[in-house]
């Protein structure tokens, strides 16, 4: 763990700045913000028009002078000033006033595994701009493992897979630390892109930006599994004529289209297991893999991993908010560290 539990207990609020959604946990109040990491700006005046869900609905529907931006990319803040403005509006005046009254305001934040020092610095500066006097950084893998109830502090192996929008992180944890981990630059956005390219090449259809998310591509029933519906109707724009058109898409072909990005995830899991001590791998044969993150809900992904690895695969109860829940549990002092008393001579 990058920071001690004692330091985290002194923090007043925690932030999970994700590529898809931003979540804020305030000590004593719980989860107060869970909104898309999107902001809409008037390029003529520089004014912030909308943030969160309303700004996301404006994507692809705005006139020239309104620009929809995402200040967070791949779990890293790419526009510090815009991220600060977005967070201020998402928190609201009431929460910000309550936080400002705290003496020596402290914050905690998630950072991707092996995040670059500049990326860590950008996260710290974003929260300092909100008034934090000190910012503690926690590895997303550990925060998510705590949030979904894994026995992180025990001397036994737990394997977690954080399925984010821009990347997938896989790790084996034991005794409160990461034994081995891998960050794969393939996430929900790569799956989205594969579906968009498939529809463009096979059906000459362009999808609206709001329909790109795999869970919103009208794949009902069991979704991208062999037992799901064989075809589904998709609405979009014809590439040649520009007119609106509907096509019936074979879900088996969609499964084949997303196989390439998901194969990279399987390769990453294999690398983690190969670099893990045999004793811990033996624990994982029974315990399996815990999936968290918004992209963990992609229909059929857990079944595909189960078949490829031969290990049990579980999806957390609320996979999308596990990381911020883990930070909240550390802030509230609900996690007790494993005390190792040195042996007397």
């Amino acid at each position: 763990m990058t920071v001690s539990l004692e330091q985290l207990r002194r923090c007043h609020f925690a932030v999970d700045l994700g590529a898809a959604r931003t979540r804020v946990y305030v000590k004593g109040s719980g989860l107060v913000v869970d909104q898309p990491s999107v902001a809409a700006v008037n390029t003529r005046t520089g004014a912030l028009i909308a943030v969160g869900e309303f700004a996301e609905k404006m994507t692809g529907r705005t006139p020239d002078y309104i620009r929809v931006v995402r200040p967070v990319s791949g779990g890293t803040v790419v526009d510090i000033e815009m991220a600060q403005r977005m967070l201020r509006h998402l928190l609201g005046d009431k929460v910000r006033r309550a936080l400002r009254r705290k003496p020596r305001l402290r914050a905690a934040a998630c950072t991707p595994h092996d995040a670059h020092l500049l990326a860590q610095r950008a996260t710290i500066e974003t929260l300092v701009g909100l008034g934090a006097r000190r910012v503690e950084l926690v590895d997303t893998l550990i925060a998510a493992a705590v949030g979904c109830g894994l026995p992180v502090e025990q001397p036994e192996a737990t394997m977690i897979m954080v399925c984010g929008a821009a990347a997938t992180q896989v790790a084996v944890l034991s005794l409160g630390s990461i034994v081995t981990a891998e960050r794969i630059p393939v996430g929900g956005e790569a799956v989205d892109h594969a579906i968009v390219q498939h529809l463009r090449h096979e059906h000459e259809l362009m999808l609206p930006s709001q329909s790109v998310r795999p869970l919103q591509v009208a794949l009902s029933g069991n979704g991208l599994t062999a037992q799901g519906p064989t075809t589904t109707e998709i609405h979009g724009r014809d590439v040649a004529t520009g007119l609106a058109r509907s096509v019936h898409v074979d879900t088996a072909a969609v499964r084949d289209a997303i196989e390439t990005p998901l194969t990279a995830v399987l390769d990453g899991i294999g690398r983690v297991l190969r670099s893990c001590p045999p004793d811990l791998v033996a624990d994982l044969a029974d315990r399996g893999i815990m999936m968290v993150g918004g992209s963990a809900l992609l229909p059929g992904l857990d079944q595909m991993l189960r078949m490829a690895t031969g290990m049990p695969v579980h999806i957390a109860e609320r996979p999308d908010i596990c990381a911020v829940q883990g930070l909240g549990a550390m802030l509230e002092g609900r996690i007790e560290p494993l005390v190792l008393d040195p042996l007397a001579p």
Side-chain angles (χ1 to χ4, degrees):
M1 197 172 292
T2 54
V3 63
S4 71
L5 290 172
E6 186 59 38
Q7 289 173 303
L8 287 171
R9 288 194 186 104
R10 297 175 189 165
C11 294
H12 301 97
F13 72 105
V15 179
D16 178 15
L17 281 168
R21 297 183 77 87
T22 293
R23 299 174 178 92
V24 180
Y25 186 103
V26 175
K27 194 173 184 177
S29 301
L31 189 64
V32 296
V33 172
D34 185 2
Q35 294 278 344
S37 305
V38 187
V41 186
N42 187 327
T43 56
R44 295 173 181 170
T45 63
L48 200 61
I49 297 172
V51 294
E53 289 181 356
F54 187 49
E56 190 175 49
K57 290 178 182 177
M58 296 167 67
T59 304
R61 304 170 186 268
T62 59
D64 292 340
Y65 66 91
I66 296 178
R67 189 164 58 98
V68 178
V69 297
R70 292 182 177 270
V72 184
S73 175
T76 301
V77 178
V78 293
D79 187 337
I80 295 174
E81 182 187 356
M82 188 56 65
Q84 289 174 351
R85 294 174 69 185
M86 179 185 74
L87 275 171
R88 287 193 195 102
H89 281 78
L90 289 176
L91 285 170
D93 292 337
K94 184 178 178 182
V95 176
R96 280 166 49 212
R97 278 198 301 269
L99 290 175
R100 277 200 299 265
R101 287 197 290 267
K102 306 285 185 183
R104 292 192 60 81
L105 183 65
R106 289 171 175 249
C110 287
T111 55
H113 180 67
D114 284 345
H116 195 273
L117 288 175
L118 289 176
Q120 296 180 14
R121 186 66 192 170
T123 302
I124 292 171
E125 287 189 16
T126 300
L127 297 184
V128 167
L130 292 177
R133 301 288 295 275
R134 184 181 175 90
V135 179
E136 309 289 359
L137 299 180
V138 180
D139 197 302
T140 302
L141 290 164
I142 293 179
V146 170
C148 62
L150 292 178
V152 181
E153 297 291 343
Q154 298 304 313
E156 54 190 36
T158 53
M159 189 169 190
I160 188 161
M161 178 173 161
V162 179
C163 309
T168 300
Q169 303 172 68
V170 184
V172 175
L173 310 175
S174 182
L175 287 172
S177 298
I178 296 172
V179 178
T180 178
E182 184 87 18
R183 188 166 184 261
I184 308 141
V186 173
E189 291 174 353
V191 175
D192 298 347
H193 183 70
I195 293 176
V196 168
Q197 292 303 310
H198 168 74
L199 293 175
R200 185 178 182 120
H201 294 150
E202 297 296 323
H203 301 277
E204 296 185 347
L205 191 78
M206 289 187 69
L207 277 182
S209 58
Q210 300 296 321
S211 302
V212 172
R213 299 299 302 168
L215 299 180
Q216 299 170 358
V217 184
L219 290 170
S220 55
N222 291 323
L224 300 177
T225 61
Q227 294 78 29
T230 55
T231 61
T232 185
E233 188 176 14
I234 304 290
H235 307 282
R237 191 185 77 189
D238 190 281
V239 173
T241 65
L243 300 176
R245 187 162 64 89
S246 299
V247 297
H248 286 276
V249 179
D250 182 12
T251 52
V254 176
R255 279 202 305 275
D256 293 339
I258 68 173
E259 207 167 280
T260 301
L262 295 183
T263 301
V265 175
L266 291 175
D267 292 342
I269 293 174
R271 287 193 296 272
V272 168
L273 292 173
R274 283 194 294 273
S275 60
C276 190
D279 291 339
L280 294 181
V281 175
D283 289 348
L284 296 174
D286 297 327
R287 191 178 298 278
I289 305 171
M290 177 65 77
M291 293 174 59
V292 302
S295 300
L297 296 172
L298 178 65
L301 178 56
D302 56 333
Q303 293 185 25
M304 179 184 147
L305 291 176
R306 202 173 289 120
M307 291 173 61
T309 61
M311 296 164 58
V313 178
H314 314 281
I315 300 178
E317 187 176 349
R318 289 292 308 277
D320 50 338
I321 61 171
C322 279
V324 75
Q325 280 184 333
L327 283 178
M330 296 181 209
L331 261 62
E332 303 282 6
R334 295 197 294 267
I335 307 299
E336 293 296 330
L338 181 66
V339 179
L340 299 174
D341 293 326
L343 297 175

